[in-house]
Amino acid sequence: MSELRFCLADVAGVRLAVSPANETVMSMWALADPVRYAVHLPWIDRARATLRRPEVATRVRPLVELTLPRRWLPDFLTPAARPNARMTEQLDQIAATPPAVVVQDLLATTPRGPLGPFGRALLTDPVGLLPRLVDAVRVWHDEAIAPDWPRMRALLDADVAYRAAQLAEGGAGRLFEQLHPSLRWLGDRVVSDDPFERDFDLRGRGLALNPGVFTDRRVLWNLLEDSLPAGVYPVRAVGTLWEAAGPPPGDPLARVIGPGRAALLHLLDTATTTTDLARLAAMSAGNVSQHLAALHAAGLVTRSRQGRHVLYRNTDAARVLLRASGG
C-alpha cells in the first residue's frame, strides 16, 4: 500500500493531460503479454509485424529490454506530461534526464529483476547511451503508435474531459475516489492499494494524472524523489478503442436519417474527433463535418473542445434512436 501526502498547493496542482510517451513505452507490455492485453489484439497483430522488420527491431531493442513485463519502468522513460504535450517535447524531456537520475531510476528497477545487457551498459555510460534509448522510443512511436494515435488520442481526450468535469464539480476528493477502485481519498492523502509500500510527500509539486490505453489493472506512479510526481490510470471505455463500428446491414435508422449520419451515430458512443470519424467511417473529413453539423443542429450530438481538438459525442436523444432501431 502506498500513500501520497498532499498539501494545499498539491491539491491546487492536480492536472490532467495526455502523454504520448507513456503510450509508446507502455505499449511494449501488450506485445509481451497479448493474453492479458487481449482487448488490444488488433493493434498487437500490426505492431508485432512492425517489430519483425529488421531495421525496426534493431533500433527498438533498448526499449524492449527496459520494458519487460512485471518490471518497474524507469521514471525518466514516462515523464509527467503537461497539457497538450507533443511527443517531440517529451522526447526532449527524456533526452535531458541528468545522468545521475538515469542511474538512480535504473537501480530502482532492479528489485523486480536484473537489468539486461543494454540496461547494464546504460548504467555505466548514461551520457553515451541515453541518445540510443531516446531513438528507440522515437522509432517505436513513429512506426507503431503514430498510425493509430488519432484513435487513441480521441479516447484519452474524452477521459480527460470527463475527469476534468469531476474535478470541477466535486473537487479532488471526488476525482480520486472515482479515478480507480484501488484509490481512497482521506482528506490530505491518497491511499493506493498496490504492492510497493511507499509513503510519499508531494511537497507542493502537484500531481500530473494521465489516462493510459495500455494501463490495465491499477494506477502506476512516478514517485522517485527526483521525478515530477505523476500517475497513469486506466482509461475509460478502452473496450471500444479498436471497434470498427457502423450501421448494421438493413439498419432502420439509416433509412430515416441517411447511411452517413447513421454511421456516425454508431461511432459516437465515445467522444471522437472529426479526423478519427473520417477514418473509421471511410468518409472525407468535409463530408463528416457536414453530417456532424446537421446532427448537432438536430440535438443528436454534442461537441466540446479539449485542447486543440473538438470532440463529438451522442446525446441522450441519439441513444434513444439507436436503441429504438436496434443499434
Side-chain angles (χ1 to χ4, degrees):
M1 181 178 294
S2 297
E3 290 192 6
L4 283 70
R5 286 177 277 120
F6 288 68
C7 67
L8 184 60
D10 295 316
V11 175
V14 172
R15 56 202 183 276
L16 294 146
V18 170
S19 173
N22 281 351
E23 302 308 325
T24 301
V25 171
M26 294 177 182
S27 69
M28 285 294 175
W29 293 337
L31 290 187
D33 193 350
V35 174
R36 174 173 171 175
Y37 295 91
V39 69
H40 297 302
L41 282 176
W43 177 84
I44 290 171
D45 289 342
R46 295 193 297 273
R48 283 186 159 178
T50 297
L51 195 57
R52 284 195 293 269
R53 289 160 43 199
E55 68 276 14
V56 174
T58 299
R59 293 178 67 182
V60 172
R61 188 172 295 122
L63 179 62
V64 174
E65 184 182 310
L66 289 180
T67 55
L68 294 175
R70 294 173 292 279
R71 290 282 304 274
W72 290 344
L73 283 177
D75 279 6
F76 72 86
L77 266 183
T78 54
R82 296 183 297 273
N84 300 318
R86 296 177 180 273
M87 186 61 183
T88 52
E89 295 169 357
Q90 291 196 287
L91 287 169
D92 290 343
Q93 283 181 266
I94 297 171
T97 306
V101 174
V102 174
V103 171
Q104 171 188 281
D105 284 11
L106 291 173
L107 291 176
T109 72
T110 55
R112 301 284 287 182
L115 293 170
F118 179 81
R120 292 194 298 271
L122 182 62
L123 197 59
T124 59
D125 185 14
V127 173
L129 291 180
L130 183 58
R132 184 177 164 195
L133 179 57
V134 172
D135 179 69
V137 178
R138 179 185 294 107
V139 169
W140 186 242
H141 177 269
D142 291 347
E143 295 289 341
I145 300 298
D148 291 301
W149 183 241
R151 182 193 293 249
M152 295 182 189
R153 178 79 199 221
L155 186 69
L156 295 166
D157 281 341
D159 189 284
V160 166
Y162 176 81
R163 305 297 179 181
Q166 286 184 321
L167 183 62
E169 294 168 5
R174 179 177 175 186
L175 172 66
F176 285 108
E177 288 287 354
Q178 298 187 21
L179 194 66
H180 193 264
S182 66
L183 302 185
R184 286 174 289 142
W185 174 253
L186 300 181
D188 66 344
R189 66 192 62 204
V190 167
V191 176
S192 175
D193 293 330
D194 59 46
F196 301 121
E197 299 295 334
R198 294 180 178 179
D199 186 359
F200 188 79
D201 192 335
L202 297 177
R203 302 200 315 271
R205 292 176 291 170
L207 181 68
L209 294 172
N210 310 136
V213 166
F214 296 101
T215 308
D216 65 334
R217 295 182 181 176
R218 58 182 177 82
V219 181
L220 305 175
W221 304 106
N222 279 13
L223 295 180
L224 295 179
E225 289 299 326
D226 290 319
S227 303
L228 287 175
V232 185
Y233 61 90
V235 71
R236 299 167 66 248
V238 71
T240 68
L241 180 59
W242 306 113
E243 288 181 354
D251 179 27
L253 186 58
R255 294 199 295 271
V256 176
I257 66 172
R261 292 169 190 176
L264 296 182
L265 290 184
H266 282 278
L267 290 164
L268 283 168
D269 277 343
T270 299
T272 311
T273 64
T274 301
T275 301
D276 210 27
L277 285 170
R279 183 168 58 84
L280 291 170
M283 301 182 195
S284 70
N287 200 7
V288 169
S289 294
Q290 291 178 358
H291 287 320
L292 289 173
L295 292 170
H296 183 263
L300 296 177
V301 301
T302 63
R303 59 189 177 202
S304 60
R305 180 168 291 279
Q306 181 65 39
R308 301 183 303 276
H309 305 278
V310 176
L311 301 176
Y312 293 85
R313 188 168 189 173
N314 285 338
T315 63
D316 289 340
R319 296 185 189 101
V320 170
L321 284 176
L322 287 167
R323 286 196 299 270
S325 67

